[in-house]
């Protein structure tokens, strides 16, 4: 008898789209916002050149214009998205740089402005685990009682050797402490992972995903390493080209990652998300839609689904 493959909506994994439709009854879109932050890894506190892969926009290349107010950025984002489709609710995504690296009064002002907007249903705040002091945690907890607050942590890898190479600037123990603090306060935690970092084997990457599969996190972004112009990674790549994923290798790895993750963890992203104009390599990844189609095709061919290997 043919085995019944679990599906969530039309996919054999729990996508962000599916999860949001379950919660809100509609498709929900994100509006990327620039809250005018910097980052301790860029302002000289930890380093002055940032993580090795970080773009000039602080990995927030699709965010709004920091010269405009939060409300204006939200309104502009709504206008742009509504030109293409009718949308009811949006998530305000503080994406560029480290969005808790500022005095708490400033954070209170900008986050309150965003969360008070009637079309905003949740806040997503991208930050570093070493930038979550007590007063900021209290603020996030307070806001989480108004509307859901997601905290997105850029872990990228569990391997200290790679973390040093990418100049992440904090050890794994720091991530673990922050995760404990956030979860104690019932904040939703989404973790960013980069697949394809130089020097990491397939087993290293799967070890990172497996580690996260066993942690109390609510979402994960799996991102293919992109070599972007104007980054130190690009300089390294030009000087000593390191191997990058070929399409089929990446699809294979992504399927294995999906199998390792339990369905309680929502999968927010399965590929890279850098600006096309700055992408040096791998160029095959520039068409996000075709990459996702190929991943879905691969999952279908393998007859596999999210969590298949988690319980083994
Ligand atoms: S922590 Fe984020 S913003 Fe800061 S340098 Fe690294 S990637 Fe860029």
């Amino acid at each position: 008898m043919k085995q019944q493959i679990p599906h969530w909506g039309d996919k054999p994994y729990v996508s962000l789209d599916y999860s949001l439709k379950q919660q809100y009854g509609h498709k929900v879109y994100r509006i990327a916002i620039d809250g005018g932050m910097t980052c301790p890894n860029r302002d000289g506190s930890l380093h002055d050149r940032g993580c090795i892969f970080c773009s000039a926009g602080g990995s927030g290349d699709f965010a709004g214009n920091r010269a405009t107010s939060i409300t204006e950025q939200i309104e502009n984002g709504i206008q742009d998205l509504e030109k293409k489709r009718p949308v009811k609710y949006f998530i305000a995504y503080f994406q560029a740089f480290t969005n808790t690296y500022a005095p708490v009064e400033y954070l209170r002002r900008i986050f309150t402005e965003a969360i008070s907007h009637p079309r905003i249903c949740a806040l997503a705040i991208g930050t570093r685990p070493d930038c979550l002091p007590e007063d900021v945690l209290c603020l996030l907890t307070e806001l989480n009682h108004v509307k859901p607050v997601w905290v997105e942590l850029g872990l990228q890898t569990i391997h200290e050797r790679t973390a040093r190479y990418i100049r992440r600037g904090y050890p794994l123990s720091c991530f673990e402490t922050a995760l404990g603090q956030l979860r104690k306060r019932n904040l939703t935690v989404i973790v960013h992972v980069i697949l394809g970092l130089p020097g990491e084997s397939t087993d290293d990457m799967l070890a990172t995903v497996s580690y996260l599969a066993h942690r109390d996190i609510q979402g994960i972004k799996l991102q293919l390493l992109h070599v972007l112009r104007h980054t130190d990674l690009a300089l390294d790549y030009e000087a000593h080209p390191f191997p990058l994923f070929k399409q089929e290798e990446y699809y294979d790895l992504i399927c294995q990652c999906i199998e390792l993750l339990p369905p309680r963890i929502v999968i927010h992203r399965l590929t890279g998300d850098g600006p096309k104009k700055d992408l040096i390599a791998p160029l095959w990844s520039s068409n996000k839609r075709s990459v996702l189609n190929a991943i879905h095709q691969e999952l279908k061919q393998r007859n596999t689904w999210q969590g298949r290997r988690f319980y083994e």
Side-chain angles (χ1 to χ4, degrees), residues 14 212-214 258-266 306-307 310-311:
V14 184
L212 290 169
H214 292 89
I258 291 172
E259 290 177 341
L260 282 175
L261 290 163
R264 66 176 169 78
I265 298 180
V266 176
Q306 183 172 350
F310 178 74
Y311 304 99

Side-chain angles (χ1 to χ4, degrees), residues 6 14 76 106 114 142 144 157 182 248:
V14 184
N76 290 340
Y106 176 75
E142 196 186 311
N144 197 35
T157 176
L182 292 164
E248 291 67 27

Side-chain angles (χ1 to χ4, degrees), residues 38-42 49-55 57-59 95-98 127-128 154 156 166-168:
T38 176
C39 171
N41 220 5
R42 283 196 168 270
R49 294 185 65 83
C51 299
I52 195 165
F53 53 82
C54 183
S55 62
S59 296
Q95 183 182 28
F97 298 95
T98 297
T127 190
R128 300 169 52 89
Q156 323 307 359
I166 63 174
R167 294 198 302 255
R168 191 180 63 191

Side-chain angles (χ1 to χ4, degrees), residues 9 23 57 63 73 136 168 251 280:
Q23 270 175 273
Q73 292 186 50
V136 170
R168 191 180 63 191
Y251 303 152
I280 295 175

Side-chain angles (χ1 to χ4, degrees), residues 89-125:
Y89 292 121
F90 302 84
I91 294 167
Y93 179 22
F94 286 83
Q95 183 182 28
F97 298 95
T98 297
N99 291 282
T100 55
Y101 187 54
V104 73
E105 302 75 38
Y106 176 75
L107 298 178
R108 176 178 292 282
R109 185 168 68 69
I110 60 168
F111 293 157
T112 304
E113 189 174 338
I115 215 167
S116 311
H117 193 288
R119 308 279 302 274
I120 293 295
C121 63
L123 292 191
I125 298 171

Side-chain angles (χ1 to χ4, degrees), residues 26-84:
H26 308 266
K27 217 167 157 58
V28 176
Y29 287 85
R30 275 170 298 185
I31 297 173
I33 291 175
D34 188 331
M37 310 285 172
T38 176
C39 171
N41 220 5
R42 283 196 168 270
D43 71 0
S45 304
L46 287 172
H47 207 283
D48 53 9
R49 294 185 65 83
C51 299
I52 195 165
F53 53 82
C54 183
S55 62
S59 296
D61 302 284
F62 303 109
N65 178 355
R66 60 168 53 199
T68 58
S69 73
I70 301 299
T71 306
E72 280 172 286
Q73 292 186 50
I74 293 173
E75 293 292 342
N76 290 340
I78 292 177
Q79 248 181 39
D80 286 350
L81 285 159
E82 282 188 331
K83 271 183 210 153
K84 296 173 209 149

